[in-house]
């Protein structure tokens, strides 16, 4: 009976430890979206893993919950889409700066900027 209790205690300890180690830590990631020439307000940031999203403020700042190795998609009509993966350094620093490239359409020799 005593051996049965020890085995049950050992099994419980192992299961609790495994469950605690398997939980994925999240963090609130702060970031800024920049462009060389324009303001970056209202840029959509989507966490492709959790499906959560946010929009940059008038200064290009945002906050979104992430896990290590999550992928973020950054989108706005006037910029090319960009995706980044949350690396160890981004996760530990809790900050990311994202530079976007303006989406320029050239129609019949004319240059249009969206």
């Amino acid at each position: 009976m005593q051996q049965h209790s020890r085995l049950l205690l050992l099994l419980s300890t192992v299961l609790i430890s495994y469950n605690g180690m398997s939980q994925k830590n999240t963090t609130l990631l702060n970031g800024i979206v920049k462009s060389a020439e324009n303001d970056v307000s209202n840029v959509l940031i989507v966490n492709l893993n959790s499906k959560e999203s946010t929009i940059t403020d008038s200064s290009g700042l945002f906050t979104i919950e992430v896990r290590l190795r999550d992928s973020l998609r950054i989108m706005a009509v006037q910029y090319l889409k960009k995706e980044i993966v949350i690396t160890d350094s981004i996760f530990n620093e809790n900050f990311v700066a994202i530079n976007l490239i303006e989406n320029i359409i050239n129609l019949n020799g004319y240059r249009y900027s969206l």
Side-chain angles (χ1 to χ4, degrees):
M1 183 73 160
Q2 187 177 10
Q3 183 142 356
H4 185 268
S5 296
R6 286 184 185 175
L7 182 59
L8 185 58
L9 179 62
L10 178 63
L11 182 59
S12 298
T13 303
V14 169
L15 288 175
I16 290 170
S17 298
Y18 178 76
N19 187 31
M21 290 170 47
S22 68
Q23 292 177 356
K24 296 182 180 180
N25 293 329
T26 63
T27 188
L28 280 178
L29 177 68
N30 297 300
I32 186 166
V33 178
K34 303 178 188 179
S35 171
E37 300 177 9
N38 295 319
D39 292 337
V40 290
S41 61
N42 300 317
V43 174
L44 179 64
I45 313 291
V46 179
N47 183 327
L48 298 175
N49 299 86
S50 69
K51 307 300 185 211
E52 291 187 29
S53 64
T54 189
I55 296 176
T56 60
D57 66 11
S58 61
S59 300
L61 299 171
F62 69 93
T63 301
I64 191 166
E65 188 172 16
V66 297
R67 291 184 171 123
L68 191 60
R69 293 186 247 319
D70 277 357
S71 294
L72 298 183
R73 180 174 292 158
I74 300 89
M75 299 178 287
V77 173
Q78 67 272 31
Y79 299 104
L80 297 176
K81 288 180 190 175
K82 187 166 191 172
E83 287 189 17
I84 64 165
V85 175
I86 305 304
T87 61
D88 288 326
S89 62
I90 292 171
F91 189 84
N92 293 330
E93 290 176 21
N94 261 357
F95 185 81
V96 65
I98 302 167
N99 294 308
L100 295 182
I101 299 171
E102 192 174 356
N103 187 12
I104 298 173
I105 299 173
N106 190 351
L107 299 173
N108 298 328
Y110 294 99
R111 182 179 164 166
Y112 294 95
S113 176
L114 295 178

